[in-house]
Amino acid sequence: MRTQLRSDTPLLEFWEATRLSADDARYPEQAEPAAGTDEAIRAALAGVLGRGCGQRVGTVLAKGGTFVQARTTPSAGALYPFEVLVGLSDGERCVSYLYEVDSGQLNPLASAPPVALAELVAQAGLADAAAAPVRAVVTLVARPWTSMAKYGRRGYLYTYLDIGHAATNLALAARAAGLDATVHLRFRRQWLTHALGLAGTCREPQAVVTITVPGRPPADRPAAGAPAGEDGVVTPVWRDRRQARLEPPGDPERRNFEALRDISLSYAPAAVARPGRIASVTEPPSPAEPSADVTLRRPRGGPDDHTALAARRQSAKGFLPAAVSLDQVAGLLDGLDGRLAADFAESAPAGIGVRLVARAVTGLAPGAYAWSARRHALHPAGGGPVGEEDVLATCQRQDGLRHAGALVLLHTPLRALLREQGRAGLAEVHFHAAHVAQRMCVNAARERVGITCVGGFDEAHAARLGHLPRGEEVIYLLAVGVADPAARKVDRDPVAYSHGRTAAGLI
Ligand SMILES: Cc1cc2nc3c(=O)[nH]c(=O)nc-3n(C[C@H](O)[C@H](O)[C@H](O)COP(=O)(O)O)c2cc1C
């Protein structure tokens, strides 16, 4: 009968051909892990990647006035100038996946040659700092042109800051999921560049986060916070059959990358790794008058709620003309000296100073204050009213920041540091700044304080406003205030112009 129908009419033939057979049914790709991979690790890691640097609910304004899906970490101009490669053992060799954040997928990277995970860890110089056998290697790979096409040479520093935010957030998300994470900046970049098939692509691995499992596997332990996917963060899906490819660079990108030879760590020998637990905040010198300290409310403590806060973090797009409270400031600064396992634990204190410039903070006289983590106090560093004009002049006249109640300046004696430590110093101090800034962003989500990371600022103006000692330079700034929920970022070009771009240079 069927045969007859098929031959009788094209319509019935079509209908017959479109019917499905249960015998042909296949399981979805993600249900077929590569042979030998540990399902518990894959599941835990997907949650960590999603919370660490994946998509969150909402959109943000990006290049050319278009909106892109928001992510859990901030990014200068929402350009996200980096890619995330995840190395995972499938039993015999290491499969390198490209985390395609926009589609929420982890696809094997076509260009990465096969290598055993243990060999990758050993040859890239990652073994000494990791606490236990490494189960996954997450490499944060900068694509500098993404940022530099808009922000010129300063855009390269934004790749360090963006990646520092992401590496910190990955480490915090791993800890909340019961895994251990180590941040590496002193690995063999050239070896890893080749091992991941990145040579000639105008990309550079800037940070690696290795993941280890302490004691019991993560599946045996209760998950912290909301189950993956239920907090508005998109948990990526492992796909083993597709192949990801990196977008090839064009000529302007090649020329731009070549110009980074004297700055990039990719062209320098790796600094000696010093494993340990690093804090990124330096203490200010002991004050002559400790009695002038403004002591801050003690931290509330409580469970590590990073999982929920990561999903809620966002930048204020503008501030209301209102004051923040001293208690909110205390909550914002809480735990900024928290530690991370890393491979750049120097014996001499490295890191950055934290200075608060209060403009409208109830309970705190306007002026500059040095923050001491040890005393949990703000120490007056220079007084006087701070006006909206001071904020605008410091922040390249970014009008959305006009009503910020306070500016937080992250500072360091940069020139001395560059003389002593060269390119590694530049990379590491920007990691320290991003580490502190990311903790502040997470705190702001808990305190419900508006916060905006600011790369577009006048360093000399900021240093004067903060009454910084001679030689100290501001390398990153955060504006804090009462977020205006109605504020919209409408035009980013003035910020790009203020970075020295011309109309012809803008893309
Ligand atoms: C290194 C860096 C520099 C930034 N500079 C500025 C800035 O100068 N002005 C500003 O309004 N936002 C700045 N931002 C914030 C971004 O605009 C914001 O993160 C991005 O739009 C994504 O939005 P979201 O943080 O709400 O996810 C910066 C963020 C980073 C990480």
Side-chain angles (χ1 to χ4, degrees), residues 93-247:
R93 61 199 176 109
C94 173
V95 180
S96 291
Y97 294 85
L98 177 67
Y99 177 10
E100 299 187 66
V101 178
D102 291 338
S103 64
Q105 294 181 7
L106 288 143
N107 291 310
L109 185 62
S111 54
V115 56
L117 185 64
E119 192 193 339
L120 183 104
V121 169
Q123 295 286 355
L126 304 168
D128 291 347
V134 172
R135 305 299 296 273
V137 175
V138 182
T139 307
L140 295 153
V141 179
R143 190 177 182 191
W145 181 238
T146 313
S147 178
M148 296 179 76
K150 178 168 184 181
Y151 295 119
R153 283 194 287 183
R154 193 171 171 83
Y156 185 62
L157 300 179
Y158 295 164
T159 67
Y160 281 148
L161 290 171
D162 263 48
I163 283 180
H165 277 277
T168 300
N169 215 37
L170 281 164
L172 296 177
R175 187 186 304 165
L179 298 165
D180 279 343
T182 302
V183 177
H184 305 254
L185 298 183
R186 296 188 176 178
F187 55 93
R188 292 191 202 108
R189 283 176 167 71
Q190 281 185 4
W191 190 89
L192 198 57
T193 297
H194 284 93
L196 295 173
L198 300 173
T201 66
C202 300
R203 288 162 169 87
E204 57 176 29
Q206 280 186 0
V208 170
V209 181
T210 49
I211 304 287
T212 54
V213 179
R216 291 174 297 153
D220 293 352
R221 277 176 272 118
E230 283 180 23
D231 52 8
V233 169
V234 177
T235 303
V237 172
W238 299 96
R239 301 182 80 93
D240 289 297
R241 294 213 187 116
R242 302 211 173 156
Q243 289 237 304
R245 278 167 218 287
L246 298 173
E247 194 182 45

Side-chain angles (χ1 to χ4, degrees), residues 312-442:
R312 287 220 310 266
R313 183 224 60 87
Q314 59 175 300
S315 304
K317 310 303 174 208
F319 297 107
L320 293 170
V324 287
S325 72
L326 185 55
D327 264 6
Q328 285 177 312
V329 167
L332 207 60
L333 300 173
D334 177 21
L336 296 191
D337 58 336
R339 290 175 182 272
L340 291 177
D343 71 351
F344 48 101
E346 288 298 348
S347 43
I352 44 124
V354 178
R355 190 151 289 209
L356 182 93
V357 176
R359 192 184 74 80
V361 180
T362 48
L364 191 64
Y369 296 84
W371 178 62
S372 160
R374 200 176 299 145
R375 302 194 308 281
H376 198 50
L378 290 168
H379 191 79
V386 180
E388 283 174 25
E389 184 49 36
D390 290 312
V391 173
L392 288 175
T394 301
C395 300
Q396 303 294 98
R397 309 215 72 79
Q398 297 189 56
D399 203 56
L401 307 174
R402 171 188 291 275
H403 296 303
L407 300 179
V408 179
L409 316 179
L410 305 183
H411 60 91
T412 195
L414 193 79
R415 277 157 221 267
L417 185 105
L418 294 186
R419 271 196 300 273
E420 275 168 34
Q421 297 179 18
R423 323 173 180 213
L426 186 71
E428 288 173 21
V429 81
H430 279 84
F431 177 85
H432 284 304
H435 174 198
V436 173
Q438 182 59 26
R439 285 183 186 268
M440 221 182 289
C441 288
V442 175

Side-chain angles (χ1 to χ4, degrees), residues 1 17 31-32 44 127 152 160 239 263 298 343 406 446 476:
M1 180 68 174
E32 292 180 25
Y160 281 148
R239 301 182 80 93
I263 292 124
R298 280 284 142 202
D343 71 351
R446 183 178 49 227
Y476 202 15

